């Protein structure tokens, strides 16, 4: 099945003291209230399980219940906000969990979203068009003439443009292929670095972002007829020491082994399948060799072999 990913977000660094929230979810997906930490690297598995797919390793996280197995959501939307531990979301309507470790997401965008503004010049030009959010948002302490503020506002503009594009291409939301949207918003983090987290600009930007996320969640939820999961991940900072490094095909010596006992790696769910395939193929080949060897050993050259039979007839005729 095809998977649609918008604004690819690959977060491979360590996540420190953050939050994973469920903004919207259909009745077929059940998230339990509780203070259960979720490892960041298992968030893609949560998305997969909520949509009815299997994962390589079992997820023993009590936050996600079984739900309705015959009615799975058609889309999952995950928005990652960098620069803040948590956002002041409306109480009661959002379920949140502590986030640990790392977040991994990967994919590619559908061609429909190639018209979105991605470069700084395109984003700036989009903001100053008549249909931009600058004409409807209360900027308060934010400025139209500051590049950092414009970067933050341009991300909100992209959110609005995504829902507008989907409303014009409703066949994407009505097909039978599950869709996955992954977005990363870093504008709030830049505002915090520029003005400080106690500044009026940061507080105004946080409130504007919460309102924009709520509207975006409602739009995406309604576009899929209430059959979509909208998730929010807040990331305060990244730990560079936990950044995933590239791997090489050359063998390297492990300087600091995780265990001194030289234990084998953990088997995945495909191990039993591969083991049975190799086992029974080897048994079948062994039986074939034994039967063939037995028949050749007990063969009578005068009666069973066509070579000897043809040679014997020719000798008699001569």
């Amino acid at each position: 099945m095809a998977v649609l990913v918008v604004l690819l977000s690959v977060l491979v660094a360590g996540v420190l003291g953050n939050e994973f929230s469920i903004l919207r979810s259909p009745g077929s997906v059940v998230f339990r209230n509780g203070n259960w930490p979720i490892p960041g690297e298992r968030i893609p598995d949560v998305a997969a399980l909520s949509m009815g797919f299997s994962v390589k390793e079992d997820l023993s996280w009590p936050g996600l219940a079984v739900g309705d197995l015959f009615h799975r959501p058609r889309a999952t939307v995950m928005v990652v906000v960098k620069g803040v531990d948590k956002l002041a979301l409306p109480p009661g309507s959002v379920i949140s969990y502590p986030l640990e470790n790392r977040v991994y997401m990967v994919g590619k965008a559908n061609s429909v979203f190639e018209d979105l503004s991605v470069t700084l010049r395109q984003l700036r030009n989009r903001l100053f068009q008549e249909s931009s959010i600058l004409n409807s948002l209360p900027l308060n302490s934010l400025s139209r003439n500051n590049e950092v503020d414009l970067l933050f506002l341009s991300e909100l503009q992209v959110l609005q443009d995504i829902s507008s594009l989907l409303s014009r291409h409703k066949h994407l939301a009505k097909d039978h292929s599950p869709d996955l949207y992954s977005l990363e918003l870093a504008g709030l983090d830049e505002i915090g670095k520029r003005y400080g987290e106690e500044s009026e600009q940061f507080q105004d930007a946080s409130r504007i972002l919460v309102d924009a996320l709520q509207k975006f969640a409602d739009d995406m939820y309604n576009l899929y007829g209430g059959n979509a999961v909208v998730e929010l991940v807040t990331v305060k900072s990244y730990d560079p020491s936990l950044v995933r490094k590239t791997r090489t095909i050359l063998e390297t010596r492990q300087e600091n082994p995780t265990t001194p006992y030289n234990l084998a790696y953990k088997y995945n769910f495909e191990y039993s399948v591969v083991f049975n395939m190799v086992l029974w193929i080897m048994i079948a080949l062994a039986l074939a060799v034994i039967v063939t060897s037995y028949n050749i050993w007990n063969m009578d050259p005068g009666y069973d072999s066509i070579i000897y039979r043809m040679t014997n007839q020719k000798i008699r005729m001569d």
Side-chain angles (χ1 to χ4, degrees), residues 75-88:
T76 294
V77 183
M78 189 180 79
V79 182
V80 180
V81 176
K82 181 183 175 183
V84 63
D85 283 327
K86 59 178 65 177
L87 291 171

Side-chain angles (χ1 to χ4, degrees), residues 117-129 132 134 143-151 154 157:
S117 301
V118 290
T119 65
L120 292 177
R121 178 175 298 180
Q122 291 175 343
L123 291 171
R124 186 183 181 91
N125 294 336
R126 177 69 183 91
L127 276 178
F128 289 96
Q129 294 177 1
S132 71
L134 290 181
S143 173
R144 297 169 177 257
N145 301 320
N146 192 295
E147 293 296 331
V148 175
D149 298 356
L150 290 177
L151 173 63
S154 64
Q157 182 65 59

Side-chain angles (χ1 to χ4, degrees), residues 25 31 37 50 82 94 99 139-141 197 206 214 227 253 266-267 281 301 317:
S25 65
F31 288 95
S50 64
K82 181 183 175 183
V94 177
L99 182 64
L139 298 183
N140 298 331
S141 61
E197 297 183 4
S206 299
Q214 291 288 333
N227 199 16
R253 183 177 179 181
K266 186 178 180 180
Y267 296 127
I281 289 176
M317 291 177 63

